């Protein structure tokens, strides 16, 4: 909103109004606003939650310090989401298709998580929203994202035009003022289901290649594969963040680390100079997502002020489902979704630990008549709790691992 106001003021030659044209300035304002909003407003929200007695019901799993958390306010994800949306609405270009898609994702998954928390807290149903309804919501969002990215005319990538011999086509431009000649590569904006794949020479992979046997119809069926992949990624990452939200500050800090990395990708992919230098896919208009991700980082860090050990508030499914989904959709938009297993490695391991535990328990129960376990408890962070490692140390070590994975993810830009 403020972008359009200051753009109007700039047309009136008001001094300083032009600052809002700079992506870096608006991103800085977004992260500061989100951080301050979540820190100061968050305190008031926590008090409201306490007065309404919206506390977490804790099952006794025999974990150290677990029962002390009983009654801690939950549904704190409201703090994160409002702290994210307010700066986005203030500083981002609201006519940008990617910004609109991220706002829809935030509200959509935030609402699903809110309903789940509401059922648990107010209706006293520990199971919360039925799993099939969660999946339905995530699948529906996946279809919206896939359809928008494939059919919207604003969603394109810029490719170099090749000559028949495979060389990049060039053109000579003459400066009418100086007469100087400049050689430029010929490019075009195209719709494509291409994405980035690490550790290979050309760094690109097209989903339609998976249905190459369809011939001329490969592009049409390629979209179907693309949609299925998007649905799977959104469901997996949002549920992975939900599972990770079991220790104070774990999901919040890990999400902030992953979000920072994705923000770097958005900025580089949306900048023609950096994209050309790094030889990565240039995506027009995607740089605007830097503002959104800056707000996301600020909201997460501000919430961490109250969510770090010992937590004064839990985000609940309102926050965890939305944060995971935001990371997933953001990665899909900047065409880095194949890097998610590396970037969101903590979420992946937490997910896998539960799957392995359940599968092995069922297998051994059928085979031996008694279920056995691979881990002392799943998700994985509870395994380390059972081993007697303090909660704060587990969280810090998971953050360190998240940082290492983030650095390695960025390094893939030049590792081929």
């Amino acid at each position: 909103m403020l972008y359009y106001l200051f753009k109007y003021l700039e047309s009136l030659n008001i001094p300083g109004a032009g600052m809002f044209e700079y992506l870096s300035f608006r991103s800085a304002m977004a992260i500061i606003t989100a951080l301050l909003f979540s820190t100061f407003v968050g305190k008031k929200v926590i008090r409201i939650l306490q007065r309404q007695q919206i506390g977490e019901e804790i099952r006794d799993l025999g974990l150290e310090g677990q029962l002390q958390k009983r009654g801690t306010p939950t549904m704190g994800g409201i703090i994160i989401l409002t702290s994210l949306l307010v700066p986005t609405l203030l500083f981002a270009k609201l006519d940008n298709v990617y910004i609109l898609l991220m706002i829809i994702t935030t509200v959509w998954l935030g609402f699903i998580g809110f309903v789940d928390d509401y059922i648990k807290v107010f209706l006293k149903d520990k199971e919360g929203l039925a799993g099939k309804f969660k999946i339905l919501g995530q699948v529906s969002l996946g279809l919206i994202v896939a359809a928008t990215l494939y059919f919207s005319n604003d969603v394109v990538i810029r490719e170099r035009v090749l000559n028949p011999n495979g060389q990049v086509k060039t053109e000579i431009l003459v400066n009418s003022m100086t007469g100087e000649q400049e050689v430029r590569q010929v490019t075009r904006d195209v719709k494509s289901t291409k994405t980035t794949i690490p550790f290979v020479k050309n760094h690109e992979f097209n989903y339609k290649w998976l249905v190459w046997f369809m011939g001329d119809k490969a592009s049409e069926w390629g979209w179907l594969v693309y949609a299925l992949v998007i649905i799977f990624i959104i469901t997996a990452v949002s549920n992975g963040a939900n599972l990770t939200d079991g220790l104070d500050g774990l999901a919040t800090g890990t999400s902030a680390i992953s979000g920072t990395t994705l923000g770097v990708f958005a900025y580089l992919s949306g900048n023609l100079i950096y994209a050309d230098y790094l030889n990565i896919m240039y995506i027009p208009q995607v740089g605007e997502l830097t503002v959104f991700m800056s707000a996301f980082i600020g909201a997460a860090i501000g919430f961490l002020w109250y969510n770090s050990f010992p937590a004064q508030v839990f985000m609940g499914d309102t926050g965890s489902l939305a944060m995971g989904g935001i990371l997933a959709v953001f990665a899909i938009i900047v065409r880095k979704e194949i890097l998610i297993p590396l970037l969101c490695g903590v979420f992946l391991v937490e997910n896998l630990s539960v799957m392995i535990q359940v599968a092995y328990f069922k297998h051994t129960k059928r085979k031996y008549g008694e279920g056995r376990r691979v881990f002392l408890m799943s998700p994985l962070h509870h395994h380390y709790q059972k081993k007697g490692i303090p909660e704060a140390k587990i969280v810090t070590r998971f953050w360190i691992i998240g940082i290492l994975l983030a650095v390695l993810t960025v390094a893939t830009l030049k590792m081929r």
Side-chain angles (χ1 to χ4, degrees):
M1 295 178 183
L2 290 180
Y3 171 80
Y4 303 102
L5 172 62
F6 278 85
K7 192 173 182 64
Y8 171 73
L9 294 177
E10 185 183 9
S11 67
L12 300 178
N13 296 319
I14 303 297
M19 289 293 292
F20 271 73
E21 286 292 335
Y22 294 98
L23 184 62
S24 56
F25 174 77
R26 289 187 288 118
S27 297
M29 291 300 295
I31 193 170
I32 292 171
T33 303
L35 181 58
L36 293 176
F37 190 92
S38 59
T39 302
F40 291 105
V41 176
K43 190 172 185 179
K44 296 181 180 180
V45 173
I46 292 172
R47 287 175 180 170
I48 293 172
L49 295 174
Q50 288 172 334
R51 285 199 300 268
Q52 297 297 322
Q53 297 183 343
I54 303 175
E56 182 79 5
E57 288 295 328
I58 303 294
R59 290 183 299 168
D60 188 2
L61 301 176
L63 298 173
E64 183 179 353
Q66 180 191 26
L67 296 181
Q68 297 174 5
K69 299 182 180 183
R70 180 171 291 169
T72 301
T74 187
M75 299 179 76
I78 297 171
I79 301 171
I80 300 174
L81 301 187
T82 52
S83 302
L84 165 59
L85 291 174
V86 169
T88 299
L89 295 174
L90 288 176
F91 301 110
K93 296 179 181 179
L94 300 181
D95 58 350
N96 183 290
V97 63
Y98 301 121
I99 292 293
L100 291 174
L101 204 52
M102 293 310 306
I103 291 174
I104 291 171
T105 298
T106 304
V107 174
W108 191 289
L109 290 177
F111 177 74
I112 294 173
F114 179 84
V115 172
D116 188 43
D117 285 335
Y118 183 88
I119 293 173
K120 290 177 181 177
V121 174
F122 291 98
L123 302 184
K124 306 301 181 182
D125 184 352
K126 294 181 181 180
E127 298 300 322
L129 183 65
K132 60 182 179 182
F133 292 116
K134 285 185 184 178
I135 297 297
L136 179 61
Q138 292 163 336
V139 170
S140 300
L141 177 63
L143 290 173
I144 292 172
V145 172
T148 303
L149 295 181
Y150 188 79
F151 294 107
S152 174
N153 293 327
D154 294 327
V155 179
V156 295
I157 63 173
R158 187 161 296 173
E159 290 184 336
R160 298 180 178 90
V161 178
L162 302 180
N163 289 316
N165 59 5
Q167 299 296 317
V168 178
K169 189 175 182 179
T170 58
E171 60 182 358
I172 299 176
L173 301 179
V174 181
N175 190 313
S176 59
M177 299 293 292
T178 63
E180 294 181 352
Q181 295 183 344
E182 180 183 359
V183 180
R184 286 187 180 180
Q185 296 179 343
V186 179
T187 60
R188 62 183 178 185
D189 290 346
V190 298
K191 296 198 68 62
S192 174
T193 54
K194 283 185 178 180
T195 189
T196 303
I197 187 170
F199 311 121
V200 296
K201 186 175 181 181
N202 293 325
H203 259 251
E204 291 181 356
F205 171 80
N206 199 322
Y207 287 101
K208 71 177 184 180
W209 296 344
L210 295 175
V211 288
W212 56 269
F213 52 86
M214 299 297 295
D216 294 337
K217 294 185 177 181
S219 295
E220 299 175 21
W221 288 98
W223 176 80
L224 180 59
V225 175
Y226 182 59
L228 292 174
V229 170
I230 287 177
I231 291 170
F232 173 76
I233 290 173
I234 292 174
T235 304
V237 180
S238 59
N239 288 332
N242 194 22
L243 287 173
T244 305
D245 185 32
L247 298 181
D248 297 349
L250 179 55
T252 312
T254 305
S255 297
I257 293 167
S258 299
T260 302
T261 308
L262 289 173
V264 171
F265 283 144
Y267 183 77
L268 296 176
S269 298
N271 187 295
L272 183 59
I273 296 174
Y274 287 128
D276 184 64
Y277 171 73
L278 294 170
N279 194 27
I280 61 176
M281 194 182 301
Y282 172 62
I283 311 172
Q285 300 187 63
V286 84
E288 191 65 22
L289 283 179
T290 310
V291 178
F292 178 89
M293 188 50 73
S294 296
F296 177 88
I297 296 166
I301 295 175
F303 182 74
L304 195 58
W305 183 273
Y306 303 105
N307 187 234
S308 58
F309 182 84
Q312 296 171 255
V313 64
F314 300 138
M315 70 170 73
D317 285 5
T318 306
S320 60
L321 282 176
M323 293 186 81
I326 287 168
L327 294 174
V329 174
F330 199 100
I332 291 164
I333 290 175
V334 297
R335 317 231 175 190
K336 300 293 185 292
E337 68 272 16
I338 294 180
L339 289 171
I340 283 181
L342 180 61
L343 174 61
C344 299
V346 173
F347 293 166
L348 176 63
V349 169
E350 294 276 49
N351 251 331
L352 289 176
S353 67
V354 174
M355 295 168 63
I356 292 171
Q357 186 87 318
V358 172
Y360 187 72
F361 186 87
K362 289 182 177 179
H363 170 73
T364 52
K365 189 171 184 178
R366 286 195 304 267
K367 188 173 182 179
Y368 304 109
E370 180 184 7
R372 300 176 184 178
R373 294 173 173 81
V374 177
F375 307 102
L376 297 177
M377 183 180 288
S378 64
L380 188 61
H381 54 260
H382 288 324
H383 169 78
Y384 293 112
Q385 273 190 295
K386 282 286 190 179
K387 295 185 74 171
I389 302 176
E391 180 173 343
K393 180 171 286 189
I394 297 172
V395 172
T396 303
R397 287 177 175 176
F398 272 57
W399 285 352
I400 293 171
I401 294 171
I403 293 171
L404 290 174
L405 292 174
V407 172
L408 182 58
T409 303
V410 174
T412 62
L413 292 175
K414 299 300 289 182
M415 295 169 62
R416 53 187 81 178

